[in-house]
Structures are given as structure tokens and as C-alpha cells.
């Protein structure tokens, strides 16, 4: 079957490791987060699509009006399009949606959060690196029950105001998700403490 996003897929080498969907940041591509995925969850299957929107040549998962300004209709349409791809790819590659963890960076984290808000059932959890609120709507009550989410923010991030991560956490908790907030002494770029927090998140998932 022809899947609707250019992507890379790596098979699992450890069946106990959860499959990951890797969602790159603005200007990235499907190869960007593969080394990160291998590092934070060794042995996981890795599904990594490339965003279809081009902002002056920089790949993204949805268009924006300006930095930090979003059109909810555009975000909603692109969220459903990516969610449909993930559902189709999960069938094609035999990935269990209940175990499927999105690992998104910046724009990729934002669309992963939107999938949790709009399409519960597509993902089994998420690691959101430097997300902000792009859809100001709470997840439907009970729709994210039992799901675990890590939100990793930077204390001196010039793009994400410090009020955003707790606001996003509240929107996801409305659906019943168990959300952990982690703040690194970092800016919008990832730091080593983000990686340690993600590694800890995956070991505690596996310990359950
Ligand atoms: C976004 O547009 O999703 C956010 O501003 C993050 C970014 O891509 O810089």
C-alpha cells in the first residue's frame, strides 16, 4: 500500500520496546530524529514521516500564520491527515497503537499534542520536546485515560513562553492523560537533561 507521507521505517530489534513515531521540528526531515529514537528507546521500531508543508523550503507538519500564531482550521486538517497516515502505517508495519509513542520536537511535538487532543486512539503516549499550545481545546474527558506523556521544556526557551507547558499539560490531563513536566536549563535546542528525562520515561513505561 502507498503511504501518504515520505518516511523512514526501522523494524524493532527488541519486541519489548514500544514502537515510536518520530516527528521532526521545522526545517528537519524524516532522518533527523532517528538517532535520538535509537538512543532514548533502544530496540524500538521507528516510524519517521517528513512534514508535507514547506515554509520557504523548511519542512513542517502544518503551516503557521507567524511564529507562535496558528490557524486552528489548518492545524486541525493537517492533524487528521497525519493521524490517518499513522493509522495506515500502523497496519502496514504491524504496530500496536496502544503502545505507539510519539516523540516530537518543536513543530513535531505540537502536532503530536494535537493528535492526542483530536484523535485519541491513534497514539499510546508521547514525549513532547519543546511543545506549546497550538489548539486551545481540552482533550475529551476519558479519551486519554491511562496514557503517559512527558513534556520537556527549556527554562530559557525564546520561542515557548514558560506558561505554555503547564497549559498544554492541563489540556491533556482533561482527557485523563498522566502528564509529567520536565524543565531543562536550556533554550529551544535540546540538552542532555532532555535525553535523560526521555530515557527515564521509557524505562518507567517498560517497568509497568
Ligand atoms: C510551531 O510553529 O509549531 C512552533 O512555533 C514551533 C516551531 O516550529 O518553531
Amino acid at each position: 500500500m502507498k503511504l501518504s507521507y515520505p518516511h523512514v521505517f526501522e523494524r524493532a530489534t527488541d519486541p519489548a520496546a514500544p514502537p515510536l513515531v518520530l516527528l521532526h521540528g521545522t526545517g528537519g526531515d524524516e532522518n533527523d530524529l532517528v538517532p535520538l529514537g535509537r538512543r532514548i528507546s533502544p530496540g524500538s521500531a521507528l516510524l519517521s514521516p517528513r512534514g508535507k508543508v514547506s515554509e520557504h523550503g523548511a519542512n513542517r507538519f502544518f503551516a503557521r500564520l507567524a511564529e507562535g500564531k496558528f490557524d486552528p482550521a489548518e492545524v486541525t486538517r493537517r492533524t487528521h491527515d497525519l493521524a490517518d497516515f499513522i493509522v495506515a502505517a500502523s497496519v502496514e508495519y504491524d504496530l500496536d497503537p496502544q503502545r505507539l509513542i510519539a516523540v516530537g520536537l518543536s513543530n513535531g511535538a505540537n502536532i503530536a499534542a494535537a493528535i492526542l487532543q483530536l484523535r485519541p486512539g491513534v497514539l499510546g503516549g508521547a514525549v513532547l520536546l519543546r511543545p506549546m499550545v497550538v489548539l486551545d481545546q481540552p482533550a475529551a474527558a476519558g479519551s486519554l485515560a491511562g496514557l503517559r506523556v512527558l513534556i520537556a521544556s527549556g527554562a530559557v526557551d525564546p520561542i515557548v513562553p514558560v506558561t505554555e507547558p503547564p497549559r498544554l499539560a492541563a489540556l491533556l490531563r482533561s482527557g485523563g492523560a498522566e502528564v509529567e513536566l520536565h524543565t531543562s536549563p536550556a533554550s529551544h535546542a535540546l540538552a542532555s537533561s532532555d535525553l535523560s528525562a526521555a530515557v527515564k520515561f521509557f524505562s518507567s513505561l517498560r517497568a509497568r
Side-chain angles (χ1 to χ4, degrees):
M1 188 180 125
K2 174 97 173 75
L3 293 166
S4 61
Y5 278 68
H7 63 281
V8 294
F9 177 70
E10 276 191 14
R11 277 186 195 291
T13 53
D14 176 358
L20 309 187
V21 185
L22 304 172
L23 301 169
H24 63 77
T26 300
D29 69 19
E30 64 274 37
N31 300 304
D32 268 27
L33 297 185
V34 169
L36 177 85
R38 286 191 197 125
R39 174 140 173 225
I40 62 181
S41 184
S44 282
L46 304 176
L47 172 67
S48 185
R50 186 201 313 155
K52 287 180 184 172
V53 170
S54 168
E55 184 183 80
H56 312 298
N59 299 317
R60 288 176 53 85
F61 289 97
F62 54 83
R64 59 184 162 183
L65 303 172
E67 192 166 290
K69 294 223 176 318
F70 307 104
D71 168 9
E74 158 71 5
V75 176
T76 299
R77 184 170 72 86
R78 297 286 181 183
T79 298
H80 285 294
D81 189 58
L82 181 61
D84 290 343
F85 161 78
I86 295 172
V87 169
S90 300
V91 173
E92 176 79 14
Y93 296 123
D94 197 18
L95 309 175
D96 175 359
Q98 291 185 356
R99 300 180 66 226
L100 189 58
I101 309 294
V103 177
L105 171 63
S106 188
N107 181 244
N110 292 342
I111 199 156
I115 292 175
L116 293 174
Q117 287 165 288
L118 299 181
R119 292 288 294 270
V122 170
L123 297 171
V127 172
L128 307 176
L129 305 163
R130 306 293 185 272
M132 59 174 71
V133 173
V134 297
L135 280 182
D136 198 0
Q137 72 185 70
S143 63
L144 302 178
L147 262 70
R148 292 189 54 203
V149 177
L150 170 66
I151 293 182
S153 33
V156 289
D157 187 334
I159 294 175
V160 182
V162 287
T163 47
E164 292 284 290
R167 224 154 66 75
L168 179 61
L171 296 173
L172 300 177
R173 283 177 184 140
S174 301
E178 210 179 294
V179 184
E180 184 190 330
L181 284 160
H182 177 269
T183 307
S184 294
S187 85
H188 203 60
L190 295 182
S192 61
S193 98
D194 293 295
L195 299 188
S196 330
V199 166
K200 208 165 129 223
F201 174 87
F202 281 107
S203 8
S204 75
L205 262 191
R206 288 181 65 154
R208 282 204 167 181

